[in-house]
Amino acid sequence: MPKTDNVRELIKMVSLPDGLESFDDKSDTGKLWASIIRVMPRELKVLIEWINGSESDKFSCIIAEASLGWAIEVAEKMGIKNEAFWPAVSVLFAPFFKISSLIDKGIIDSEGTPMKNQIIQLSQAMPPMKTTDFFWNRLGDEG
């Protein structure tokens, strides 16, 4: 049972080496991902074993970005609860929460089709976007 309700005291963020040297070109995504897949699962396992073997708090759950599925696999193999999250999904689905407003403002029709090609901003916290780039207008689009 946790000794506190303060989530900031319960969650510990860690980083792992990606296997590349400081002089390596991290913009070479093929090389970066190959290194991540080769190095990080082993590093995570070592970190978990080290922490769980110490007198400190033990791993109770791993929360990882969904593209890092290997972290979830490591957690499952070690019997640790796990969760994946996908931060991009909030941007992807943000227009859904504004559909009635977009219709009322004449930006889209009731079928979701843009009334005209324009740039809008759904909120101050989001960058401007083209109405033609709503993902439902791009389904099946190969270009």
Side-chain angles (χ1 to χ4, degrees):
M1 188 69 151
K3 299 173 188 162
T4 180
D5 289 349
N6 185 341
V7 73
R8 291 175 192 244
E9 292 178 29
L10 296 173
I11 295 177
K12 306 293 186 233
M13 304 272 296
V14 298
S15 61
L16 300 170
D18 60 20
L20 295 180
E21 300 295 332
S22 59
F23 55 82
D24 284 324
D25 180 10
K26 293 189 181 200
S27 68
D28 181 344
T29 56
K31 183 177 180 179
L32 176 61
W33 277 106
S35 182
I36 286 171
I37 296 302
R38 186 181 70 254
V39 173
M40 285 186 152
R42 179 183 66 239
E43 293 291 331
L44 178 58
K45 185 176 185 284
V46 167
L47 177 67
I48 292 169
E49 289 171 342
W50 179 71
I51 289 176
N52 285 352
S54 71
E55 296 298 317
S56 67
D57 293 332
K58 311 293 185 225
F59 269 82
S60 58
C61 180
I62 290 180
I63 302 171
E65 207 277 342
S67 68
L68 304 176
W70 56 264
I72 300 303
E73 289 176 11
V74 169
E76 287 176 352
K77 287 179 183 174
M78 298 184 81
I80 298 172
K81 293 178 187 176
N82 54 79
E83 286 294 330
F85 71 100
W86 188 22
V89 81
S90 60
V91 173
L92 186 63
F93 287 115
F96 276 133
F97 299 112
K98 298 283 189 175
I99 286 177
S100 61
S101 173
L102 294 172
I103 292 170
D104 291 345
K105 292 178 180 176
I107 294 171
I108 61 173
D109 65 17
S110 61
E111 299 294 317
T113 304
M115 301 299 282
K116 63 181 181 176
N117 187 355
Q118 62 183 319
I119 296 175
I120 64 166
Q121 190 167 7
L122 295 172
S123 78
Q124 294 293 94
M126 290 184 66
M129 65 186 302
K130 294 179 184 178
T131 54
T132 54
D133 286 341
F134 289 144
F135 78 90
W136 60 81
N137 290 317
R138 308 287 285 176
L139 295 174
D141 187 0
E142 295 180 19

